[in-house]
Amino acid sequence: MGLILWVSFLVLLLVSYVDQRKTMDAKNWLMVIGVYFVCEFSVNLFGLVIPVGFIIALLYVKKKINFPLSKALIFGLISVYAISYAPKITFNQIKEISQTSRYSNEFNQIKSVSNFSSESDINAVLKTAAEGLKDKNPASEIRIEDPHVTFSIWALNHKNIAIKDLDWLWYEAPRELHYYWQSNRPEPLIDMEYVIFHDVGYMGVFQRDDTNSPFYLRTIYEFDRLKMNNVSIP
């Protein structure tokens, strides 16, 4: 995020000199960029940002009375404080916010959103739980790597419902417990699982790095109901 702000202010700075471009040579442009760059050096003293670079650049600019560099100083100073005090948002966070906004259009009201990574404990716990169910019934043909199995385990555990075995989870649980489930794979690396009870619904977004990698749970949405295509719950 800091890099984006820095580049954005630099572009704005250069644009502000466009009206003087006919009188500026390469040396002038380099001075503008150089002053802006020097302004970026600062010291954080107990949470207080001291613009050391700005002070140095200011002393230099005072000697260059033949060319106006005040804009470079102003943009440099603004950039320092904007980068220092702006919320630290990563590209992954921006991506998650964008995805949350996109997926939230499916629901009438979102109650909660939880995000995870492939290293999160929840993925290890769910994998262990699936393997335990497989050990109970080795003859089952249900693949425990299937995101539907993983998310069904999470949903029933979340509601404190005991799971008998894999076959029961896949075939019998929806009818006995009166919930609807659906799987949707909009693209090879993304899988979306829905488990919807009468009073609450859950959607799990699974992701994998490539087509040969296993899926891991990335996001859980808890919602009241779907906006459209309300499902028939058994």
Side-chain angles (χ1 to χ4, degrees):
M1 189 65 177
L3 179 60
I4 294 176
L5 287 173
W6 188 85
V7 173
S8 299
F9 281 115
L10 176 59
V11 171
L12 290 174
L13 170 63
L14 296 178
V15 170
S16 71
Y17 278 97
V18 168
D19 59 338
Q20 303 177 46
R21 64 185 183 280
K22 293 182 180 180
T23 60
M24 293 175 61
D25 54 22
K27 182 180 178 181
N28 295 142
W29 286 109
L30 288 175
M31 278 197 297
V32 170
I33 296 173
V35 168
Y36 177 77
F37 183 78
V38 171
C39 285
E40 297 308 306
F41 292 98
S42 62
V43 175
N44 192 318
L45 190 62
F46 304 108
L48 177 64
V49 175
I50 301 175
V52 177
F54 172 80
I55 297 172
I56 296 172
L58 180 62
L59 295 175
Y60 171 78
V61 168
K62 284 186 175 181
K63 299 178 182 179
K64 296 291 180 180
I65 57 175
N66 59 326
F67 182 73
L69 292 169
S70 57
K71 291 180 184 178
L73 283 171
I74 294 171
F75 275 90
L77 183 62
I78 294 174
S79 174
V80 167
Y81 283 108
I83 293 172
S84 299
Y85 293 112
K88 301 297 186 287
I89 301 176
T90 65
F91 285 108
N92 285 336
Q93 289 174 318
I94 294 174
K95 183 179 178 181
E96 288 175 359
I97 292 171
S98 175
Q99 290 172 338
T100 298
S101 176
R102 182 180 65 184
Y103 291 137
S104 64
N105 291 329
E106 296 187 34
F107 315 123
N108 179 61
Q109 181 180 1
I110 293 180
K111 297 182 177 180
S112 67
V113 179
S114 303
N115 293 301
F116 312 99
S117 69
S118 57
E119 291 80 24
S120 296
D121 291 341
I122 188 172
N123 283 294
V125 169
L126 291 174
K127 180 181 179 182
T128 300
E131 291 172 346
L133 290 175
K134 184 66 175 179
D135 291 339
K136 282 185 179 180
N137 185 10
S140 175
E141 297 181 357
I142 306 300
R143 295 176 61 254
I144 61 174
E145 298 83 8
D146 193 311
H148 170 61
V149 172
T150 305
F151 195 61
S152 296
I153 291 173
W154 176 87
L156 297 192
N157 285 343
H158 186 68
K159 292 183 74 69
N160 296 316
I161 299 173
I163 301 173
K164 297 177 182 178
D165 55 49
L166 279 175
D167 289 341
W168 176 85
L169 178 67
W170 190 281
Y171 299 111
E172 305 297 332
R175 185 173 64 254
E176 288 186 16
L177 302 176
H178 305 289
Y179 69 83
Y180 168 89
W181 72 267
Q182 176 183 322
S183 296
N184 179 24
R185 192 165 297 178
E187 54 185 273
L189 304 184
I190 298 292
D191 185 277
M192 299 160 64
E193 299 293 329
Y194 299 80
V195 173
I196 304 175
F197 293 86
H198 284 288
D199 58 337
V200 66
Y202 307 103
M203 183 181 81
V205 179
F206 289 76
Q207 183 175 328
R208 57 181 173 180
D209 298 327
D210 55 65
T211 54
N212 296 318
S213 301
F215 281 101
Y216 66 88
L217 181 58
R218 191 188 70 198
T219 309
I220 296 175
Y221 296 85
E222 181 177 342
F223 57 92
D224 58 346
R225 61 182 176 83
L226 298 174
K227 279 186 178 179
M228 301 176 63
N229 300 323
N230 281 321
V231 298
S232 176
I233 299 176

